[in-house]
Amino acid sequence: MKHISLGGLDVSRIGLGAMTMAGTYTHEGSLDDTESIRTIHRALDLGVTHIDTAEIYGPFHSEEVVGAAVKGRRDKVVIATKFGLVSHAGGGPGHIDSSPANVRAAVEGSLARLGTDHIDLYYQHRVDPNTPIEDTVGALADLKAEGKIVHLGLSEAGPETIRRAHAVHPISALQTEYSLWTRDIEAQILPLLRELGIGLVPYSPLGHGLLTGQIRSVDDFPDDDWRRTNPRFTGENFTRNLAIVDEVQAIGAEIGATPAQTALAWLLTRGADIAPIPGTRRVARVEENTAADGLELTAAQLERLDTLAPAAGARHNEANMARIES
């Protein structure tokens, strides 16, 4: 597995997102922690060094699974986790809170669940409109000085916040959605990251599953799956977006790759400072995704992918988009 640098942090250029290990896209009661741990172990065996989680996933369950999986192999793993969507002062899960007191409470909980004395990459999960970013980053800098975190990250932050945060303490990585069906960041965010030397960690690099080629109808989702109400998976938008999948699938057939591998191979051509974290809790999917590291697309194939029509519809519903800075 090739490696890249996220603002000075060395990681495998394909990581593993552990959100689904806490239940996202999963029928209630069907979680299998043993399977999730086996998936993380297989990822490590294949050269993945970058595992991404968050306290809100579960909440807390994903961190516990990751902690159990990396026990005895901690020195081989870059652990990334996130704070700020759980208020430890009484608001609980779903309440944005990046106050210095909450940051400190959050990190102690994450360290305990992960079974480690330090977090390699610690992200603010969403920007807190009630706490100046300077205060939050100042608290993170204190935690770094204490050895509890090593690198600082932001998630779904806008250009102004990124600049202000980076002025207080260097930010190593920004996590946001980036894929063949979400390319908004190419206009402003990506150039800014490169100006400041900040790495990019794309989440949902497979378009919430659509770019795997396995989803052709909303009937493929469970009744309680949030994608049923996502603008890109509904009505005419869904029909139009399937055309993106069809082209990815066609190019994959030309190189003997799955649609997921083809979509990841495209993303890996976007720069040596980009490390996607496709999420799964299945060994077979880890094996499929990591194999994209060895694929090469021709110039003609890249051009076809580069010129695909943008995805139709907003990438989240109104409530979730309200928590994303632009």
Side-chain angles (χ1 to χ4, degrees), residues 1-311:
M1 174 76 70
K2 299 181 185 70
H3 281 222
I4 63 102
S5 174
L6 297 172
L9 175 63
D10 180 88
V11 297
S12 56
R13 68 172 182 164
I14 298 177
L16 173 61
M19 182 176 71
T20 61
M21 297 177 186
T24 305
Y25 309 139
T26 303
H27 289 292
E28 185 177 353
S30 66
L31 280 179
D32 185 341
D33 292 347
T34 300
E35 176 188 29
S36 295
I37 291 171
R38 189 164 56 245
T39 298
I40 293 173
H41 287 169
R42 182 58 177 149
L44 298 178
D45 291 342
L46 290 168
V48 172
T49 66
H50 180 198
I51 309 296
D52 182 272
T53 182
E55 64 172 358
I56 191 64
Y57 300 159
F60 311 128
H61 189 69
S62 175
E63 288 185 328
E64 293 169 349
V65 171
V66 171
V70 304
K71 188 175 182 180
R73 304 176 75 168
R74 178 66 182 92
D75 61 337
K76 305 293 185 184
V77 186
V78 170
I79 295 179
T81 192
K82 311 175 199 73
F83 69 89
L85 286 181
V86 178
S87 174
H88 297 276
H95 291 265
I96 291 178
D97 187 351
S98 286
S99 64
N102 200 63
V103 173
R104 186 163 290 276
V107 78
E108 295 299 340
S110 290
L111 288 169
R113 288 184 291 272
L114 291 165
T116 186
D117 62 358
H118 71 280
I119 294 165
D120 299 292
L121 177 55
Y122 200 40
Y123 293 97
Q124 180 191 47
H125 209 154
R126 291 293 185 272
V127 176
D128 180 357
N130 299 313
T131 303
I133 192 63
E134 291 81 1
D135 293 353
T136 301
V137 175
L140 293 172
D142 290 342
L143 292 175
K144 179 178 178 178
E146 296 168 21
K148 294 182 177 181
I149 65 175
V150 184
H151 292 264
L152 283 59
L154 300 173
S155 179
E156 296 290 17
E160 181 184 355
T161 296
I162 295 170
R163 285 192 182 277
R164 288 168 54 197
H166 195 70
V168 176
H169 186 284
I171 301 298
S172 293
L174 176 79
Q175 187 169 142
T176 189
E177 193 171 352
Y178 185 41
S179 70
L180 276 169
W181 95 329
T182 302
R183 299 181 61 176
D184 317 60
I185 67 166
E186 292 177 346
Q188 286 186 292
I189 296 289
L190 195 50
L192 175 61
L193 298 183
R194 287 173 173 161
E195 173 192 335
L196 299 177
I198 300 172
L200 175 66
V201 177
Y203 73 82
S204 296
L206 299 177
H208 303 294
L210 189 69
L211 296 175
T212 65
Q214 302 299 308
I215 300 167
R216 303 300 301 185
S217 164
V218 292
D219 294 331
D220 293 330
F221 300 139
D223 290 342
D224 59 351
D225 194 307
W226 67 269
R227 288 172 292 184
R228 281 183 172 270
T229 60
N230 181 280
R232 292 191 176 177
F233 288 94
T234 56
E236 288 187 9
N237 288 345
F238 193 13
T239 302
R240 289 173 57 188
N241 290 335
L242 286 174
I244 298 174
V245 183
D246 293 339
E247 182 66 357
V248 173
Q249 197 153 19
I251 291 174
E254 295 172 7
I255 61 174
T258 66
Q261 291 169 336
T262 305
L264 288 171
W266 173 85
L267 194 51
L268 296 176
T269 69
R270 307 308 289 174
D273 51 359
I274 295 177
I277 47 168
T280 186
R281 58 189 182 92
R282 307 281 188 187
V283 169
R285 295 287 77 79
V286 160
E287 294 173 340
E288 176 184 357
N289 293 340
T290 55
D293 180 58
L295 293 178
E296 289 192 15
L297 296 162
T298 67
Q301 290 166 340
L302 282 172
E303 183 177 3
R304 285 162 60 188
L305 293 170
D306 286 343
T307 55
L308 283 171

